Amino acid sequence: MTDPSSDGEVGSPASTAEDPDRDLRIRVDHVGIAVADRDTLAPVLELLGGELIADEPADGFRWIQYELGDLSRIELIEPTAPDTFLTDFLDRNGTGFHHVTFEVAAIDDVVAHLRDHDLRVVDRADHEKYREAFVSPRSTGGVLFQLMEYEPGYCEAYGEPGVGHDLLTDHSYLDPAESH
Amino acid sequence: MTDPSSDGEVGSPASTAEDPDRDLRIRVDHVGIAVADRDTLAPVLELLGGELIADEPADGFRWIQYELGDLSRIELIEPTAPDTFLTDFLDRNGTGFHHVTFEVAAIDDVVAHLRDHDLRVVDRADHEKYREAFVSPRSTGGVLFQLMEYEPGYCEAYGEPGVGHDLLTDHSYLDPAESH
């Protein structure tokens, strides 16, 4: 946590309502790849040493995560229903990189920060094991960034988040005994 | 290193010439995004906390790397000449995710492994500070994977590779005093 007295943004001439106490820690978590059929790419990820750590249904698609040596991850998303965002993407682009997910320590702080700077952030949602939002492609020239804050229980359900997770040490689920 | 006596691939019925001593360690290193103009996306990466760590000319483009909290990185590639792979990509796709780079400990081992399994690996090249190859999009349904092995001096030139780098501990440049 930052010390609010140590960084004199409050009262500065800046016109934004930005809060210096916001926790903006962030890391690349995984890369999402759209595939019409997982068999297009799953064998390649396995040859590259990827270990299957999750294969889960979602609304109209399933997400299949492979962990590499240091817990860096690649996710395949495969449609399981017609007429979704994913089939639209595949119709337009074919198999291809779909999104990059950033893990954040405090999603609402990051969302507020981006919105203060006039970026569009959409689809903010709370799920059982994670909280998410998306930086709209309208604000990025067309690429899709997902923001995710993991809730307690995420690790147990899907394996450890990436190795850089030790930077986000105020997440009590990392080691409840050491949380502060 | 694996112990060749511990994993009885040699003499197994498998018909590949695969070498069990190959070092196949790998991690996601960075995500490359094609941009017609860096100003499309650089301010967004800066708002997300990205720190500029490299802005370097290459043949017909420049690559601009942003490091996030844990040394995970995003790279923008921006054309500096007409009629290159990159302008072709942008003409077809516009701004968008272009490649994922995997850092490997031993590129020729990984390339041999993939080729043994009939994947196309192209553009194997040795540069002053890194060795590279690409898994052809023909073998992946259309996505581009770069493989990179860092040479001594890469860190000094461009900052530390990602935090997962401690898995690749036989790279003497990580800490020459501790190499073995």
Side-chain angles (χ1 to χ4, degrees):
Chain A
M1 299 293 286
T2 53
D3 174 359
S5 66
S6 69
D7 199 334
E9 294 263 327
V10 174
S12 79
S15 62
T16 68
E18 210 165 312
D19 177 351
D21 285 340
R22 283 178 185 154
D23 184 347
L24 303 179
R25 287 173 298 163
I26 187 168
R27 54 178 292 277
V28 176
D29 188 72
H30 67 262
V31 180
I33 303 177
V35 291
D37 178 338
R38 80 188 76 186
D39 292 341
T40 307
L41 209 47
V44 180
L45 294 175
E46 285 161 14
L47 277 179
L48 287 169
E51 182 186 351
L52 182 69
I53 59 165
D55 182 352
E56 297 285 334
D59 186 16
F61 69 100
R62 62 192 314 148
W63 54 273
I64 303 157
Q65 281 195 350
Y66 284 88
E67 184 175 284
L68 286 103
D70 66 349
L71 304 183
S72 57
R73 283 177 289 156
I74 297 282
E75 175 179 274
L76 305 182
I77 52 176
E78 180 192 59
T80 56
D83 301 326
T84 65
F85 77 93
L86 183 53
T87 55
D88 290 348
F89 179 93
L90 287 162
D91 288 346
R92 275 197 312 273
N93 303 283
T95 293
F97 298 116
H98 180 270
H99 64 272
V100 166
T101 298
F102 295 105
E103 179 185 0
V104 298
I107 194 164
D108 288 324
D109 285 358
V110 175
V111 169
H113 175 68
L114 297 176
R115 286 180 173 162
D116 276 351
H117 290 83
D118 298 323
L119 267 68
R120 275 175 62 86
V121 183
V122 299
D123 295 340
R124 171 73 185 82
D126 288 326
H127 301 280
E128 189 187 343
K129 297 194 169 60
Y130 62 97
R131 314 170 76 196
E132 70 178 339
F134 292 85
V135 183
S136 167
R138 290 196 215 171
S139 289
T140 62
V143 304
L144 182 61
F145 291 135
Q146 180 182 31
L147 305 172
M148 273 180 77
E149 178 187 337
Y150 295 112
E151 296 286 351
Y154 188 92
C155 295
E156 292 74 6
Y158 304 125
E160 298 282 333
V163 67
H165 209 78
D166 55 348
L167 292 186
L168 308 183
T169 45
D170 65 349
H171 281 210
S172 59
Y173 62 88
L174 262 182
D175 185 341
E178 283 183 26
S179 68
H180 51 99
Chain B
M1 297 294 286
T2 53
D3 174 357
S5 67
S6 69
D7 198 336
E9 295 262 328
V10 174
S12 78
S15 62
T16 67
E18 210 165 313
D19 178 352
D21 284 340
R22 284 178 185 154
D23 184 347
L24 302 179
R25 288 174 297 164
I26 188 168
R27 56 179 290 277
V28 176
D29 187 72
H30 66 261
V31 180
I33 304 176
V35 291
D37 178 336
R38 80 189 76 185
D39 292 341
T40 307
L41 209 47
V44 179
L45 295 176
E46 284 161 14
L47 276 179
L48 287 169
E51 183 187 351
L52 181 69
I53 59 165
D55 182 351
E56 297 285 334
D59 186 15
F61 68 102
R62 61 194 312 148
W63 55 273
I64 303 158
Q65 281 196 350
Y66 284 88
E67 183 176 285
L68 286 103
D70 66 349
L71 304 184
S72 57
R73 283 177 289 155
I74 297 282
E75 176 179 274
L76 305 182
I77 52 176
E78 180 193 58
T80 55
D83 302 326
T84 64
F85 77 93
L86 183 54
T87 54
D88 290 348
F89 178 93
L90 287 163
D91 289 346
R92 275 197 314 274
N93 304 282
T95 293
F97 299 116
H98 180 270
H99 64 271
V100 166
T101 298
F102 295 105
E103 179 184 0
V104 298
I107 195 164
D108 288 324
D109 284 359
V110 175
V111 169
H113 175 67
L114 297 176
R115 286 180 173 162
D116 276 351
H117 290 83
D118 298 324
L119 266 67
R120 276 175 62 87
V121 183
V122 299
D123 295 340
R124 171 74 185 84
D126 288 327
H127 301 281
E128 188 187 343
K129 296 193 170 58
Y130 63 95
R131 314 170 75 195
E132 71 177 339
F134 293 86
V135 183
S136 167
R138 290 196 216 171
S139 288
T140 62
V143 304
L144 182 61
F145 291 136
Q146 181 182 30
L147 305 172
M148 272 180 78
E149 178 186 337
Y150 295 111
E151 296 287 351
Y154 188 91
C155 295
E156 292 75 5
Y158 304 125
E160 298 281 333
V163 68
H165 209 78
D166 54 348
L167 292 185
L168 307 184
T169 45
D170 64 350
H171 281 209
S172 59
Y173 62 87
L174 262 183
D175 185 340
E178 283 182 27
S179 67
H180 52 99

